[in-house]
């Protein structure tokens, strides 16, 4: 089955794949205002760092078309999710068009949004090619969250590497963390790999230790929402635990990081804002309470994996190795301070 695109611009409005409806239904939302885009991002109808950046860029185009106050729209879009640097980066690009043209020109804004989308397609493919070159014949790869095609405008990042490894006949099996609390692994990664015919098994997040102890994992491959200047990585909650388990078992831990997710203006992981989401994502499943009545819950959406646990950063420029402060500094990055 061919995967649907994460989003497409119709010429007048944004069609956005509603990821919350997957794997049950493939539904496209028709977004006509910037605040509909902001709500789609905060409610995770669109999710995945590259996809939210591109959706936000189209949100600015919608605001310009409607003659809305653009600083207000950009502020609203920027606030929709704080951790992924791609969002702020895409909005900065749109702001720089506004500054350079000195007036609101919908067409110039649409050209830049389309270019961000095109670049993401191109660069994720390059990243994936570098990632596949790291994997050996018959490898079994463990993945966390969802980083596939629909989390980007292209082929995805870490899950894209896994699908490409399958297409090249290199992959033996993919292990998919279900990824509590929103289950992106069970719902989205398993769906996407299923569509592509990639052999995979969903596990609970806590099963990775047993699996590695049994020697069933050759590499861990995850995505990221922001990489700081020292190589610390913000990614879906549970990534840090996975990196510690991988270290304890001598399993290489790779992070796929497109240049749009690398933020040299942030010195280290402690400086990254971690989004905290509604406690009900933990206490409720499909609207039904599964926690003791009145139980409190804490729901950080991301965590920080320190650079020393990362075996390699897979980028469109190639595979970076520690020390990351040095290997990152040399890159020509879109997010450079
Ligand atoms: O909260 P989510 O589902 O948007 O979190 C997504 C992740 O953590 C991904 O690993 C990351 O955005 C990279 S997607 C290519």
């Amino acid at each position: 089955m061919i995967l649907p695109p994460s989003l497409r611009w119709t010429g007048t409005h944004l069609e956005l794949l509603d990821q919350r409806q997957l794997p049950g239904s493939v539904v496209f939302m028709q977004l006509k205002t910037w605040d509909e885009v902001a709500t789609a991002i905060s409610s995770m109808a669109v999710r995945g760092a590259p996809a939210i950046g591109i959706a936000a860029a189209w949100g600015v185009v919608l605001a310009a078309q409607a003659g809305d106050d653009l600083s207000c729209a950009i502020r609203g879009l920027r606030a929709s999710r704080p951790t992924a640097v791609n969002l702020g980066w895409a909005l900065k690009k749109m702001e720089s068009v506004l500054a350079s043209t000195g007036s609101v020109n919908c067409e110039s804004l649409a050209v830049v949004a389309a270019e961000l989308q095109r670049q993401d397609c191109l660069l994720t493919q390059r990243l994936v090619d570098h990632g596949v070159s790291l994997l050996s014949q018959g490898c079994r790869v463990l993945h966390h969250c969802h980083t596939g095609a629909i989390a980007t405008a292209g082929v995805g990042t870490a899950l894209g590497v896994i699908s490409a490894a399958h297409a090249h006949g290199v992959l033996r099996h993919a292990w998919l963390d279900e990824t509590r609390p929103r289950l992106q692994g069970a719902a989205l990664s398993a769906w996407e790999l299923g569509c592509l015919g990639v052999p995979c098994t969903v596990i609970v997040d806590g099963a990775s230790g047993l699996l590695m102890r049994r020697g069933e994992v050759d590499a861990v491959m995850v995505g990221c929402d922001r990489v700081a200047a020292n190589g610390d990585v913000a990614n879906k909650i549970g990534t840090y635990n996975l990196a510690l388990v991988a270290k304890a078992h001598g399993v290489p831990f790779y992070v796929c990081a497109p240049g749009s997710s690398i933020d040299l203006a942030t010195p280290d992981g402690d400086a990254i804002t971690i989004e905290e989401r509604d406690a009900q994502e933990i206490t409720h499943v499909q609207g039904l309470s599964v926690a003791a009545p009145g139980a409190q819950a804490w729901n950080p959406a991301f965590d920080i994996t320190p650079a020393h646990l990362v075996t390699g950063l897979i980028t469109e420029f190639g595979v970076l190795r520690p020390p990351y402060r040095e290997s990152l500094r040399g890159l020509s990055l879109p997010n450079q301070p």
Side-chain angles (χ1 to χ4, degrees):
M1 176 182 155
I2 295 173
L3 294 171
S6 54
L7 45 74
R8 58 186 171 223
W9 179 249
T10 64
T12 55
H13 67 275
L14 184 64
E15 277 188 351
L16 189 80
L17 176 66
D18 187 347
Q19 297 189 34
R20 296 166 306 183
Q21 311 262 0
L22 290 168
S25 326
V26 175
V27 174
F28 282 92
M29 302 167 82
Q30 310 296 324
L31 305 183
K32 300 192 171 136
T33 63
W34 73 262
D35 47 326
E36 284 174 354
V37 176
T39 304
I41 295 171
S42 58
S43 65
M44 294 175 64
V46 58
R47 48 145 302 283
I52 63 177
I54 295 158
W58 286 116
V60 177
V61 178
L62 289 172
Q65 278 183 177
D68 293 337
D69 176 342
L70 286 185
S71 359
C72 167
I74 290 173
R75 243 193 338 273
L77 287 160
R78 187 169 275 131
S80 58
R81 287 196 84 185
T83 303
V85 69
N86 306 60
L87 184 61
W89 163 74
L91 291 169
K92 244 189 237 155
K93 285 259 178 206
M94 302 307 272
E95 281 173 324
S96 67
V97 185
L98 288 167
S100 68
T101 52
S103 62
V104 179
N105 180 331
C106 297
E107 266 166 42
S108 322
L109 289 168
V111 166
V112 175
E115 181 58 15
L116 290 180
Q117 194 170 325
R118 199 184 68 85
Q119 283 293 322
D120 187 67
C121 213
L122 209 77
L123 300 179
T124 49
Q125 183 61 61
R126 271 190 215 154
L127 179 154
V128 160
D129 293 342
H130 290 299
V132 172
S133 70
L134 286 171
L135 297 175
S136 48
Q137 186 62 41
C139 64
R140 296 149 304 170
V141 182
L142 175 52
H143 177 266
H144 191 65
C145 196
H146 171 267
T147 61
I150 61 165
T152 69
V155 292
T157 64
L159 205 70
V161 173
I162 291 171
S163 322
H166 168 71
H168 286 78
V170 173
L171 183 86
R172 187 178 346 160
H173 203 76
W175 299 107
L176 304 176
D177 272 355
E178 64 169 351
T179 316
R180 278 282 289 156
R182 291 189 64 106
L183 305 178
Q184 291 95 327
L188 303 176
S189 297
W191 169 77
E192 197 168 312
L193 292 191
C195 290
L196 300 171
V198 181
C200 60
T201 301
V202 177
I203 56 170
V204 298
D205 300 349
S208 53
L210 178 62
L211 208 53
M212 288 191 210
R213 191 176 162 78
R214 289 187 174 175
E216 303 273 355
V217 181
D218 302 301
V220 176
M221 191 74 68
V222 298
C224 68
D225 282 71
R226 192 182 293 245
V227 176
N230 71 341
D232 288 352
V233 171
N235 192 49
K236 180 51 53 192
I237 190 75
T239 304
Y240 177 30
N241 304 48
L242 188 55
L244 287 167
V245 171
K247 182 75 165 186
H249 293 87
V251 172
F253 184 88
Y254 294 111
V255 176
C256 292
S260 55
S261 300
I262 298 172
D263 178 15
L264 298 186
T266 296
D268 56 37
D270 291 338
I272 299 176
T273 304
I274 301 288
E275 174 187 9
E276 291 191 19
R277 296 186 62 85
D278 194 330
Q280 281 216 358
E281 289 186 349
I282 295 178
T283 57
H284 289 61
V285 173
Q286 294 186 328
L288 287 179
S289 175
V290 290
Q296 292 190 20
W298 175 53
N299 187 16
F302 300 96
D303 60 22
I304 304 295
T305 300
H308 70 88
L309 296 176
V310 178
T311 311
L313 280 176
I314 304 169
T315 75
E316 64 267 32
F317 308 100
V319 180
L320 309 184
R321 300 287 181 175
Y324 294 113
R325 208 180 282 285
E326 275 77 67
S327 47
L328 286 167
R329 201 185 289 139
L331 304 180
S332 137
L333 291 167
N335 274 321
Q336 209 111 21

